[in-house]
Amino acid sequence: IAYYAQHSGLLNLKPADEYCPNGQTSSSCTRADLFAFQISCGAFLTYTAYIGMTSWHITKSAHKAIPSTLEGRLFGHIPDAEQLMVIVFSFQFWDLIVSMMIPEH
């Protein structure tokens, strides 16, 4: 969606001249791929911030889910932390693959 919105000219956001391909000026360059990449990264980071914020500050499940003993801290299971780990791993794998397709990365 973000790629289409930028590529079709609905948003009309222009990158810096250094990110435009050879021979294009900033008026004809859209670089919808960079815009879509930034929007996708923002979605991942917003979701992980939401999970971390609710787990740590609102529900306090990061504090209450495990016993406050040494064994609990080492071997305790926090479902929010597992969900966060899965999301971060998925994001890093996605970022590795997608970054290879963007020339500047």
Side-chain angles (χ1 to χ4, degrees):
I1 294 172
Y3 181 85
Y4 174 75
Q6 177 66 12
H7 187 67
S8 66
L10 290 174
L11 296 176
N12 200 20
L13 300 172
K14 305 296 179 197
D17 290 334
E18 63 190 63
Y19 296 113
C20 291
N22 298 338
Q24 286 187 343
T25 61
S26 61
S27 62
S28 64
C29 176
T30 60
R31 289 308 305 264
D33 56 343
L34 291 178
F35 179 70
F37 179 77
Q38 294 299 322
I39 293 295
S40 301
C41 289
F44 271 115
L45 295 174
T46 302
Y47 187 63
T48 55
Y50 170 76
I51 291 173
M53 185 72 157
T54 56
S55 175
W56 191 263
H57 294 291
I58 297 171
T59 63
K60 299 197 184 295
S61 63
H63 306 289
K64 298 175 185 175
I66 57 173
S68 59
T69 63
L70 181 61
E71 289 81 12
R73 290 181 183 170
L74 286 175
F75 303 112
H77 179 260
I78 302 173
D80 290 341
E82 182 178 357
Q83 182 182 11
L84 203 60
M85 179 198 63
V86 168
I87 293 168
V88 168
F89 178 78
S90 301
F91 173 67
Q92 288 178 343
F93 182 73
W94 172 84
D95 186 38
L96 175 70
I97 301 300
V98 172
S99 291
M100 286 189 237
M101 297 178 208
I102 298 176
E104 288 82 17
H105 292 165

